[in-house]
Amino acid sequence: SYAIYKEAKAKGFFVKKSDGSDFDGWCWPGSSMYLDMLDPEVRQWWATKFVPGSYQGSTEDLYIWNDMNEPSVFNGPEITMHKDNLHHNNVEHREIHNIYGYLYHMATADGLVYRGDKSDHKPSDRPFVLSRAFFAGSQRVGPIWTGDNTADWDHLRVSIPMCLSLGISGLTFSGADVGGFFGNPDTELLTRWYQLGIFYPFFRAHAHIDSKRREPWLFGDEAMNDIRNA
């Protein structure tokens, strides 16, 4: 019933298994297909899917998050795609794995630019697309973050050299999940992480679905005021 899937299926736009059939893997939505982003036609097609007529219900200011785009395959070897899967011109996945997420990131950013050009919305000459996967050149496309961290002091501490190292390498628009993705931070850790997080070039609080709620106001007035004052 998903229109994007139906159209991509009909056009043969999905990554193939070694036998030529469409690859099916498991990710957050469940059974999933993976667009062949090595194919320029697929990237161009994907970029047309963000205009209001295609992306129904989207707001005037649209920002995108490309998550799990390494690609992540929960039931695949090493939690990713099989190395002998086939892409455009029968290129095996082992040859392009490291750029797959980058190509997805790039095509999505092109989609927001296209959206601005083809709609009544303001031009999107600076699209915002957050990506979990990145490669050399990702700094020209959009922000990244350091991935799934944990609510402990060591992960707070290591986020500093990680973001600094990314910045030195050219990926300046980066950050870490404030509070830690896994686990449940105590009041002191959450407060200190917010106070550090305001210095990340990309700031967000983000947590696993099984973590406890952690809005600042749930930790008492003192903590909330300390976070607000940061």
Side-chain angles (χ1 to χ4, degrees), residues 112-130:
L112 291 189
V113 174
Y114 182 86
R115 171 188 170 92
D117 292 340
K118 299 296 182 180
S119 71
D120 295 331
H121 297 257
K122 59 186 178 183
S124 299
D125 57 342
R126 295 186 66 187
F128 182 95
V129 182
L130 175 67

Side-chain angles (χ1 to χ4, degrees), residues 67-131:
D67 196 11
M68 319 303 283
N69 57 332
E70 292 81 17
S72 180
V73 184
F74 292 162
N75 62 339
E78 300 176 315
I79 319 179
T80 191
M81 198 173 285
H82 294 77
K83 294 177 182 178
D84 61 352
N85 278 1
L86 298 175
H87 293 264
H88 182 57
N89 288 335
N90 289 322
V91 174
E92 289 190 336
H93 184 72
R94 74 180 79 242
E95 302 295 334
I96 64 100
H97 174 81
N98 288 346
I99 66 168
Y100 181 84
Y102 169 55
L103 295 173
Y104 227 119
H105 196 194
M106 182 170 61
T108 306
D110 287 344
L112 291 189
V113 174
Y114 182 86
R115 171 188 170 92
D117 292 340
K118 299 296 182 180
S119 71
D120 295 331
H121 297 257
K122 59 186 178 183
S124 299
D125 57 342
R126 295 186 66 187
F128 182 95
V129 182
L130 175 67
S131 176

Side-chain angles (χ1 to χ4, degrees), residues 211-227:
S211 296
K212 295 179 181 178
R213 299 302 296 261
R214 57 173 70 168
E215 288 83 356
W217 56 84
L218 297 176
F219 289 77
D221 291 341
E222 182 178 356
M224 185 175 67
N225 289 332
D226 286 343
I227 291 170

Side-chain angles (χ1 to χ4, degrees), residues 50-52 55-63 112 115 119 121:
F50 297 92
V51 295
Y55 201 157
Q56 296 182 12
S58 60
T59 57
E60 179 177 356
D61 297 308
L62 181 63
Y63 311 102
L112 291 189
R115 171 188 170 92
S119 71
H121 297 257

Side-chain angles (χ1 to χ4, degrees), residues 134-135 139 143-147 158-176 201:
F134 55 90
F135 193 70
Q139 74 278 1
I144 61 171
W145 88 105
T146 58
V158 78
S159 71
I160 300 172
M162 288 178 75
C163 290
L164 290 174
S165 298
L166 286 167
I168 291 172
S169 68
L171 290 159
T172 57
F173 201 176
S174 68

